[in-house]
Amino acid sequence: MRKGLVLGAAAAAAFASAAIVPPGGDAAAAPGDPASPAPTASTDPASAAPQAPQAPQDAPATVTAGSQVETAQAFIVTLAPLQTKRYSYGPSENQRMDAYWRDPGAETQPAVLLLHGGYWKVGDKSSWGRVAYKLAADGYAVFAADYRLTGEAPWPAQRDDASAALEFIKRHSARFKVDPNRIVVVGSSAGGQLATMLGTYGAGAQRVRGVVALSPVNSPYLGYLDGALPGALGSQVLLRRAVEELIGCTPGEIGTACWQRLEDVAPATHAGRGDAPMLIMHSTQEFVPAAHSTELVAALKGYGVPVTLKEEPGTAHGLAIIKDPQAWRTVLTWIDSIAKKPA
């Protein structure tokens, strides 16, 4: 290869390991990133009080029986409290992740790493809040990571951070009771490109169990070209500019170095035998259409890697796709089939 439930809100105690440093007064909400060399621990003062992600207003507090809340203790089913806490996996303010996990007892549990979108230049992990709580309720340890944006560092910093976030989870898997061999990465839009990159760059299947990508920008060059078409949408024009900022050059003025960077950001470039299984979803009329993923899908199939490309009707992009209950069930069923079977 080239390359019911009671959801507690109490925060976990700070880890003793120096590699896990609670970020000081980092403001936050809830959840989404990875690469090869893991960044060093944050220098944030340990004395600053870390803030845990806040539960969305619609997060369940208790399970009801029928239409009435069961008050008898015998009918109340409780699990270990859900712990939520923020961690630093590197020195930058954007190298943070929110963790949502509960102690499964003697067993280990599968995990999901969430990577946000935003043209690689905006956005943060808080967009994943409700998804994180839903996945945690389904039996996963969930980690929503930020990563350095293009205003701070150009490619491949974003891939490096996604890899570092993944390695952080594996390095501290015993603390979270996570099975390091059962981690699925889920990404949206630009985060979807990072998720598919994790599944193809290097030994993909040895790094992650599977990948779910929602509207991934798997062909940045196509995004660049579409942004110059007559009648291009504002979102397409923004994507064109974002690609230039990501690679630090203009594809229309091609030089060898620019071509190499443009190829490097395309996950299909790194596809090979032994990559991670993938579920890729686009909407039929969105600004990042399925054409972005056809080259990657063809490459993976050619190497015998299980991959499903699914198109949903409408214009929904990224996270908006799984607002549809059926699309959400498709994603959750796929993740369960990949991550809940023994490694």
Side-chain angles (χ1 to χ4, degrees), residues 13-26:
F15 287 174
S17 168
I20 308 181
V21 182
D26 188 30

Side-chain angles (χ1 to χ4, degrees), residues 80-342:
L82 180 68
Q83 303 181 66
T84 59
K85 197 170 182 64
R86 178 161 297 125
Y87 298 97
S88 302
Y89 66 87
S92 169
E93 287 296 320
N94 284 319
Q95 291 170 322
R96 303 284 188 266
M97 67 166 65
D98 289 340
Y100 306 72
W101 83 102
R102 56 168 50 88
D103 188 340
E107 303 296 322
T108 57
Q109 60 194 325
V112 177
L113 170 62
L114 303 170
L115 302 173
H116 70 83
Y119 300 92
W120 306 281
K121 61 186 296 181
V122 295
D124 62 66
K125 52 188 165 38
S126 66
S127 60
W128 287 108
R130 292 177 181 175
V131 173
Y133 274 90
K134 288 179 180 179
L135 287 169
D138 196 52
Y140 292 93
V142 186
F143 304 85
D146 282 336
Y147 48 90
R148 285 171 292 169
L149 304 173
T150 51
E152 179 179 359
W155 186 264
Q158 295 71 33
R159 178 174 64 201
D160 292 344
D161 285 0
S163 295
L166 177 64
E167 292 309 312
F168 177 94
I169 298 168
K170 292 186 175 184
R171 192 164 61 250
H172 301 289
S173 58
R175 170 68 65 175
F176 299 112
K177 296 289 186 74
V178 161
D179 182 344
N181 296 313
R182 291 192 292 153
I183 301 175
V184 172
V185 183
V186 180
S188 168
S189 194
Q193 178 262 350
L194 294 174
T196 56
M197 186 66 75
L198 283 183
T200 56
Y201 191 71
Q206 294 179 28
R207 296 165 57 126
V208 298
R209 190 68 172 267
V211 170
V212 175
L214 307 171
S215 306
V217 189
N218 282 331
S219 178
Y221 187 48
L222 177 59
Y224 175 81
L225 294 176
D226 285 349
L229 293 175
L233 301 171
S235 53
Q236 292 174 309
V237 174
L238 285 173
L239 181 55
R240 176 183 173 90
R241 294 173 185 164
V243 170
E244 290 180 314
E245 293 173 15
L246 180 68
I247 62 177
C249 60
T250 301
E253 301 170 0
I254 290 299
T256 302
C258 194
W259 267 123
Q260 289 175 342
R261 273 177 272 175
L262 194 56
E263 288 184 348
D264 189 40
V265 298
T269 298
H270 306 283
R273 204 170 303 281
D275 284 345
M278 297 190 190
L279 169 64
I280 301 173
M281 301 178 76
H282 294 265
S283 292
T284 54
Q285 301 175 53
E286 66 159 300
F287 76 98
V288 182
H292 271 261
S293 296
T294 51
E295 183 181 6
L296 173 61
V297 169
L300 292 174
K301 287 184 175 180
Y303 285 111
V305 177
V307 57
T308 299
L309 176 58
K310 186 171 176 55
E311 290 187 82
E312 296 291 325
T315 61
H317 173 73
L319 270 174
I321 290 178
I322 54 175
K323 287 184 178 179
D324 175 74
Q326 184 173 341
W328 168 248
R329 282 194 297 272
T330 296
V331 168
L332 186 57
T333 299
W334 191 90
I335 295 174
D336 286 348
S337 71
I338 290 290
K340 288 194 172 179
K341 59 185 180 183

